[in-house]
């Protein structure tokens, strides 16, 4: 189906789930969750996959095995599509966060990104241009960054702000009921960041 956006009903459902995060509540309202949240995310994912590559919609269940918080369900929902980098959308009761790039890079990806920034002036210069344009457009880099320089790099490095990044992804905050074209526009805006990752970082070779 064609993605037509999220409604305020999705926000209201997630608020209600936060207030009554129980299996009884979720089971009683599962159809509404699927209608208001799962189906629109699946529609958005199908659209994204045609341009950016394979992806997935997150499951509503939380992994509570190692958490003090035993609430069984997430009070947010998200999707991701891409190969090296990709596009992202996350829905909460308060807002929609959209963007893309490389989020949660593997160790080898992070090492290659930092090597490029350190030793390839063209890579560092292009990343500076991309980030400046995105920040001027209301995006922020996913973070937080490292508090100091990564091991092996000088804290006075000319591009230290980029070496300290833990993610090479940018996000914008939109209303829950943002128009589909606004979401697509945000994805178009991060396309240069995705391309930068494809050129200078590449696919993960190992995890974590």
């Amino acid at each position: 189906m064609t993605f037509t956006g999220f409604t305020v009903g999705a926000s209201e459902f997630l608020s209600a789930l936060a207030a009554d995060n129980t299996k009884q509540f979720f089971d009683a309202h599962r159809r509404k969750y699927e209608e208001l949240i799962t189906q629109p995310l699946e529609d958005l994912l199908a659209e994204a996959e045609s341009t950016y590559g394979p992806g997935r919609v997150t499951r509503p269940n939380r992994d509570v095995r190692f958490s003090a918080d035993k609430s069984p369900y997430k009070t947010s929902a998200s999707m991701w599509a891409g190969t090296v980098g990709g596009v992202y959308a996350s829905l909460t009761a308060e807002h929609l966060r959209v963007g893309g790039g490389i989020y949660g890079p593997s160790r080898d990806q992070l090492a290659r990104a930092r090597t490029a920034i350190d030793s390839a002036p063209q890579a560092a210069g292009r990343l500076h241009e991309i980030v400046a344009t995105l920040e001027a457009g209301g995006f922020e880099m996913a973070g937080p960054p490292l508090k100091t320089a990564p091991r092996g790099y000088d804290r006075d490095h000319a591009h230290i702000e980029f070496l300290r990044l833990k993610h090479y992804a940018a996000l914008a905050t939109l209303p829950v009921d943002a128009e589909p074209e606004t979401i697509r526009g945000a994805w178009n805006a991060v396309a240069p960041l995705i391309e930068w990752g494809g050129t200078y970082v590449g696919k993960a070779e190992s995890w974590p």
Side-chain angles (χ1 to χ4, degrees), residues 127-137 162:
L127 183 59
H128 179 85
E129 293 173 358
I130 293 168
V131 172
T133 299
L134 287 170
E135 290 180 341
F162 301 125

Side-chain angles (χ1 to χ4, degrees), residues 42 45-46 48-50 52-58 78-83 87:
E42 292 285 359
L45 173 63
E49 286 184 321
S50 65
Y52 302 99
R56 65 187 180 91
V57 171
T58 57
S78 61
M79 55 74 51
W80 168 269
T83 51
V87 291

Side-chain angles (χ1 to χ4, degrees), residues 32-101:
K32 181 173 287 189
Y33 180 87
E34 293 171 350
E35 174 188 338
L36 295 172
I37 297 171
T38 303
Q39 189 59 58
L41 278 173
E42 292 285 359
D43 296 340
L44 185 59
L45 173 63
E47 182 176 318
E49 286 184 321
S50 65
T51 301
Y52 302 99
R56 65 187 180 91
V57 171
T58 57
R59 291 170 53 83
N61 306 78
R62 293 181 65 246
D63 184 351
V64 300
R65 291 174 298 172
F66 308 107
S67 174
D69 179 5
K70 300 302 182 182
S71 301
Y73 301 103
K74 300 171 185 173
T75 55
S76 64
S78 61
M79 55 74 51
W80 168 269
T83 51
V84 174
V87 291
Y88 175 79
S90 176
L91 178 71
T92 70
E94 294 79 25
H95 51 64
L96 183 64
R97 297 268 279 171
V98 295

Side-chain angles (χ1 to χ4, degrees), residues 13-22 25 75:
F13 182 93
L14 291 173
S15 293
L17 180 60
D20 187 1
N21 198 316
T22 63
F25 175 87
T75 55

Side-chain angles (χ1 to χ4, degrees), residues 158 163 173 201 208:
L163 291 171
T173 302
V201 180

Side-chain angles (χ1 to χ4, degrees), residues 115-177:
T115 297
I117 293 166
D118 176 50
S119 61
Q122 183 176 356
R126 179 59 180 143
L127 183 59
H128 179 85
E129 293 173 358
I130 293 168
V131 172
T133 299
L134 287 170
E135 290 180 341
F139 287 78
E140 59 183 13
M141 296 302 289
L146 294 173
K147 293 181 179 180
T148 187
R151 183 177 299 176
Y153 294 95
D154 193 322
R155 63 183 179 181
D156 295 321
H157 193 286
H159 304 296
I160 189 61
E161 70 270 34
F162 301 125
L163 291 171
R164 289 171 56 221
L165 292 174
K166 291 189 287 186
H167 312 281
Y168 293 90
L171 299 169
T173 302
L174 303 175
V176 169
D177 58 351

